[in-house]
Amino acid sequence: AGGEQWGAKAQVSALKPTTMRCASSRAEELERSVLVLLNKICPENLPTIVKKLGSLQIHNGQELECLVRTLLTKALHEPHYCETYADAVYQLCPRYPEFPASEDGAPPQSFRRVLINIVQAEFESIPDRLAGAGGDSADETQHELTRRKALLLANMKFIGHLYLRKLLSLKVIGYAVRDLVGGHSSGTADVEDHVVECACTLLGAIGQTLDAAPEGQFLMSQFVARLVALKRRCPDGGPSVLSRRVQFQVQDLIDLRERGWVLKLFREQAKTLAGVRSAGTGAFELQAAGARPAYVVDAPAPAPGRGGGGG
């Protein structure tokens, strides 16, 4: 199956909580150029933005990493456009050249490889992301915690959309969810609320596609059983290890699966103008949660970049 694999440990650092700045004047110039284009992105003009991004001249692996970091940071801060950014990533993968690895024996630096490294590093930072979110007041601290958690959840959703576009393998999804909550309903280890939220967000983003294949269906059943066990876990007859809010999120995921991943949505997802016109005037619509985009269903995973130059 197509899809990139995660390494034993990400080869780059996670995104910084407060900044997306890249070092060097050339990198800052590149970052500005990328942001000018991404500030205009929407489903309607995606082909134009992708074409302009693909024409940027990228000369080495450091510049490629700066471009990918800027794009990913923008995507995580605009989860409303998560699918649009994932579509952009899918189309950009073959548009940039590969560069030699900075370390002997490491694979070449392609757009997809750099993207997966950064996404993996962001995922691995989950245990530390909510630590040290201090402020001058309780309200400021809570605001910072809320902001950081939103970025965590946005990254989980983005990981899901990379899987739907065959940029991540089923093996990676299995590893990610097991790393979050464990894989067996008999496990006794407790997990924090935000970690369970991350797992629910990821599974909800890929539900229909994961359940459609026998191996994926087995994994989904295993993970749902683990979430149910956590939902019911009350050590020594005390309170549940999960808050009521997160227990409801787990139940929502279970109910969604039982409905065949048919989701009733308020119209808040980013759409093209044609999509808005065809959707009618109702406030809600039915959508398959975690369905693979039609243009990806029969397509192979996008090949890594070839040749030189960004055009």
Side-chain angles (χ1 to χ4, degrees), residues 137-246:
S137 67
D139 287 345
E140 288 184 5
T141 299
Q142 184 58 47
H143 176 77
E144 180 63 14
L145 283 171
T146 300
R147 189 188 72 84
R148 293 190 184 192
K149 189 172 76 172
L151 292 178
L152 291 180
L153 298 178
N155 191 51
M156 301 311 300
K157 188 176 179 182
F158 194 72
I159 287 172
H161 283 290
L162 293 181
Y163 167 72
L164 295 180
R165 286 153 182 79
K166 301 184 179 181
L167 296 172
L168 283 177
S169 68
L170 179 60
K171 182 178 179 180
V172 167
I173 298 301
Y175 166 81
V177 181
R178 288 193 188 96
D179 194 58
L180 288 168
V181 297
H184 301 284
S185 59
S186 59
T188 58
D190 295 335
V191 295
E192 296 180 82
D193 273 6
H194 70 276
V195 175
V196 175
E197 286 186 82
C198 284
C200 289
T201 298
L202 175 55
L203 293 174
I206 62 176
Q208 187 190 70
T209 298
L210 194 64
D211 246 352
E215 186 179 356
Q217 188 177 64
F218 173 79
L219 284 176
M220 180 66 80
S221 296
Q222 189 180 64
F223 297 146
V224 168
R226 172 59 175 158
L227 291 171
V228 169
L230 288 170
K231 176 173 173 280
R232 295 174 176 172
R233 182 165 165 73
C234 302
D236 302 320
S240 172
V241 297
L242 300 180
S243 68
R244 292 288 291 174
R245 179 179 59 82
V246 176

Side-chain angles (χ1 to χ4, degrees), residues 15-85:
L15 301 171
K16 300 300 182 184
T18 58
T19 181
M20 68 172 77
R21 303 304 301 175
C22 305
S24 84
S25 57
R26 163 57 187 161
E28 291 175 356
E29 176 187 351
L30 177 62
E31 181 187 334
R32 285 194 297 271
S33 298
V34 173
L35 285 175
V36 165
L37 294 172
L38 295 182
N39 285 338
K40 303 173 184 176
I41 200 168
C42 66
E44 195 73 29
N45 68 5
L46 180 62
T48 300
I49 299 299
V50 167
K51 182 177 180 180
K52 291 181 178 180
L53 285 170
S55 68
L56 295 175
Q57 294 298 310
I58 305 298
H59 303 101
N60 54 55
Q62 289 75 25
E63 292 183 6
L64 183 64
E65 183 177 329
C66 180
L67 181 149
V68 174
R69 281 180 177 275
T70 304
L71 193 157
L72 180 58
T73 303
K74 188 75 168 168
L76 299 191
H77 282 83
E78 298 181 354
H80 178 68
Y81 284 108
C82 179
E83 293 187 40
T84 303
Y85 281 107

Side-chain angles (χ1 to χ4, degrees), residues 71-117:
L71 193 157
L72 180 58
T73 303
K74 188 75 168 168
L76 299 191
H77 282 83
E78 298 181 354
H80 178 68
Y81 284 108
C82 179
E83 293 187 40
T84 303
Y85 281 107
D87 288 335
V89 164
Y90 181 88
Q91 296 177 40
L92 286 170
C93 278
R95 289 178 177 260
Y96 298 105
E98 291 185 341
F99 297 99
S102 56
E103 299 179 4
D104 294 338
Q109 290 183 291
S110 66
F111 180 92
R112 182 169 54 172
R113 181 70 259 171
V114 172
L115 173 74
I116 301 310
N117 276 343

Side-chain angles (χ1 to χ4, degrees), residues 258-280:
E258 291 178 349
R259 295 196 304 269
W261 301 103
V262 176
L263 189 64
K264 187 176 183 180
L265 288 179
F266 182 73
R267 300 184 188 281
E268 61 178 5
Q269 182 183 346
K271 294 180 178 295
T272 63
L273 291 176
V276 171
R277 295 187 188 105
S278 64

